[in-house]
Amino acid sequence: MRDFIYNGQPSRVVFGAGSLAHLEREIDLLGARRALILSTPEQSQQAQMVADRLASRAAGIFPRAVMHVPIETAREARELAQKLGADCAVAIGGGSTTGLGKAIAMESGLPILAIPTTYAGSEMTPIYGITEAGLKKTGRDSRVLPRTVIYDPELTLTLPVGMSVTSGMNAIAHAAEGLYAQDSNPVMDLMAEEGIRAIAQALPAIRRQSDDLEGRTNALYGAWLCGSVLGNVGMALHHKLCHTLGGSFNLPHAEVHTVILPQAIAFNADAAPQAMARIGRALGGQGGASAAAGLFDLACDNGAPVSLRDIGMKESELDRAADIAVSNPYWNPRPFGVAQRGEIRQLLQNAFEGIRPA
Ligand code: NAD
């Protein structure tokens, strides 16, 4: 047994089909009376449904969350919260909506109640991101960790199958990198392996039938586990590459995670054999495939993109992406600084072409 440090994150999780019915009780437990409800424009109906449930305890709705939390949107939402005298924020949606809630909490300390409807996992982390003048700044602050999270799989039935698969791969990426994190610990290892297993089993079921409640429940359960791993331990090469490609080349978040994950795991395979064994076991170890190949197959077999070419990257930009990725590397079990630029460039080429790792 290795030495480790484990920091519990103080959040309350209410899980189960139909658990949105407990919303009022949960708002009560937060001691809140005037909730500001947040959503994207696409999910404004769900926001209205939350407001209807809360009746007089809904202070207002801000249905304008967008990807990457632009500072202008954050300011607007903060001002509205202040004007309405809101004493909590209810974020119903994916990582973009939760991110907006975090931007409000960062300044005001308002408690957030998150109701996740994708598998991105932001609701379990104290990590925030705000985009100002085209640059996304991220950081950690315990004030932005949602106090309460209601996971209701019924709210995910409408997530389109394509987004469900890439969002699930996004969640698996947190768990996979958590397994070889520098500050990993045995509790997170358990959660990571179980999270990967739950999502890997759920995705084919969701693909077969998008409103399969059991599949949706398993996927959301996995998302909770994987998000917890992201919130507790450090991320490595895979997340660095995704931040580079998402931030500097404006590629879609969950799709980038889906394409890069098998390639990043292949790069790290020899440096992290125990993590590979756990990932392989969680994927069911089909046909003796490596962890990296297993992840590639999971995405491919469920109709997700596996090449950067297919999600809008230009081949001519791969050189610049490699330069950015190695210029300020994260810790990784296999180092990837300037000296490894050639290997990272090759990884990106493989990702561009969608080559199945060995
Ligand atoms: P998203 O929140 O941008 O949602 C994508 C689209 O799907 C939106 O239009 C949304 O309204 C819609 N949608 C969400 N749930 C739906 C449902 N059940 N039915 C129908 N439509 C639905 O996507 P995301 O992948 O969840 O989040 C991505 C963002 O979250 C990125 O900006 C990423 O950086 C951030 N993120 C942050 C953290 C963190 O810890 N801070 C973790 C993961 C992701």
Side-chain angles (χ1 to χ4, degrees), residues 20-21 23 37 43-55 58 61 92 115 117 152 154-155:
L20 188 64
L23 177 63
I37 299 142
Q43 287 179 281
S44 59
Q45 277 188 348
Q46 283 183 320
Q48 185 60 54
M49 187 253 295
V50 165
D52 293 344
R53 270 180 190 275
L54 288 178
I61 301 179
I92 180 160
I115 308 171
T117 62
D152 185 342
E154 287 179 3
L155 300 172

Side-chain angles (χ1 to χ4, degrees), residues 40 42-43 67-68 94-97 102 117-118 120-122 125 127 136 155-156 158-160 163 174 230 253:
T40 60
E42 297 80 23
Q43 287 179 281
M67 192 79 124
H68 301 314
S96 298
T97 306
K102 288 177 168 182
T117 62
T118 71
S122 175
T125 84
I127 305 165
K136 186 163 179 177
L155 300 172
T156 64
T158 50
L159 189 66
M163 278 174 60
H174 309 325
L230 175 67
H253 176 82

Side-chain angles (χ1 to χ4, degrees), residues 34-191:
R34 296 183 60 74
L36 174 62
I37 299 142
L38 311 172
S39 76
T40 60
E42 297 80 23
Q43 287 179 281
S44 59
Q45 277 188 348
Q46 283 183 320
Q48 185 60 54
M49 187 253 295
V50 165
D52 293 344
R53 270 180 190 275
L54 288 178
S56 64
R57 274 187 287 186
I61 301 179
F62 183 89
R64 292 199 293 282
V66 288
M67 192 79 124
H68 301 314
V69 196
I71 184 83
E72 299 77 14
T73 310
R75 279 198 193 113
E76 255 187 86
R78 284 168 182 162
E79 281 164 19
L80 182 64
Q82 209 172 21
K83 194 173 118 202
L84 295 172
D87 56 6
C88 89
V90 175
I92 180 160
S96 298
T97 306
T98 308
L100 179 61
K102 288 177 168 182
I104 298 175
M106 210 167 77
E107 286 228 324
S108 62
L110 276 196
I112 305 171
L113 186 152
I115 308 171
T117 62
T118 71
Y119 310 128
S122 175
E123 66 282 353
M124 294 310 297
T125 84
I127 305 165
Y128 62 84
I130 289 202
T131 304
E132 190 164 5
L135 259 187
K136 186 163 179 177
K137 287 185 210 145
T138 58
R140 279 178 173 260
D141 187 329
S142 57
R143 289 197 308 174
V144 311
L145 178 74
R147 299 270 187 90
T148 306
V149 182
I150 297 181
Y151 283 107
D152 185 342
E154 287 179 3
L155 300 172
T156 64
L157 297 178
T158 50
L159 189 66
V161 170
M163 278 174 60
S164 302
V165 176
T166 54
S167 192
M169 295 301 296
N170 182 192
I172 288 179
H174 309 325
E177 289 230 296
L179 286 168
Y180 52 61
Q182 196 176 21
D183 55 352
S184 70
N185 64 68
V187 178
M188 287 304 130
D189 286 355
L190 291 170
M191 293 177 85

Side-chain angles (χ1 to χ4, degrees), residues 119-322:
Y119 310 128
S122 175
E123 66 282 353
M124 294 310 297
T125 84
I127 305 165
Y128 62 84
I130 289 202
T131 304
E132 190 164 5
L135 259 187
K136 186 163 179 177
K137 287 185 210 145
T138 58
R140 279 178 173 260
D141 187 329
S142 57
R143 289 197 308 174
V144 311
L145 178 74
R147 299 270 187 90
T148 306
V149 182
I150 297 181
Y151 283 107
D152 185 342
E154 287 179 3
L155 300 172
T156 64
L157 297 178
T158 50
L159 189 66
V161 170
M163 278 174 60
S164 302
V165 176
T166 54
S167 192
M169 295 301 296
N170 182 192
I172 288 179
H174 309 325
E177 289 230 296
L179 286 168
Y180 52 61
Q182 196 176 21
D183 55 352
S184 70
N185 64 68
V187 178
M188 287 304 130
D189 286 355
L190 291 170
M191 293 177 85
E193 186 173 335
E194 172 74 353
I196 297 172
R197 188 199 58 74
I199 293 181
Q201 284 186 0
L203 295 184
I206 292 171
R207 183 140 193 259
R208 272 193 302 274
Q209 191 190 327
S210 72
D211 62 353
D212 175 316
L213 190 58
E214 195 186 331
R216 290 293 184 180
T217 303
N218 278 329
L220 203 56
Y221 165 63
W224 166 54
L225 295 170
C226 295
S228 300
V229 175
L230 175 67
N232 271 268
V233 300
M235 296 289 116
L237 171 69
H238 167 79
H239 280 74
K240 175 69 190 186
L241 290 173
C242 291
H243 291 163
T244 302
L245 293 166
S248 303
F249 301 92
N250 207 23
L251 297 185
H253 176 82
E255 284 92 331
V256 171
H257 275 271
T258 305
V259 171
I260 292 297
L261 185 62
Q263 311 298 342
I265 294 299
F267 183 91
N268 284 334
D270 290 346
Q274 286 181 347
M276 298 304 136
R278 279 193 181 261
I279 296 167
R281 200 159 60 203
L283 293 174
Q286 287 143 345
S290 67
L295 291 166
F296 184 95
D297 294 345
L298 182 64
C300 198
D301 293 350
N302 287 293
V306 287
S307 75
L308 289 177
R309 182 196 276 127
D310 285 348
I311 61 169
M313 184 78 179
K314 294 198 189 93
E315 191 166 12
S316 58
E317 290 181 324
L318 295 177
D319 279 330
R320 192 160 68 89

Side-chain angles (χ1 to χ4, degrees), residues 322-329 335-344:
D323 290 340
I324 299 172
V326 300
S327 64
N328 185 14
F336 67 102
V338 176
Q340 290 78 31
R341 196 243 178 225
E343 288 138 271
I344 294 299

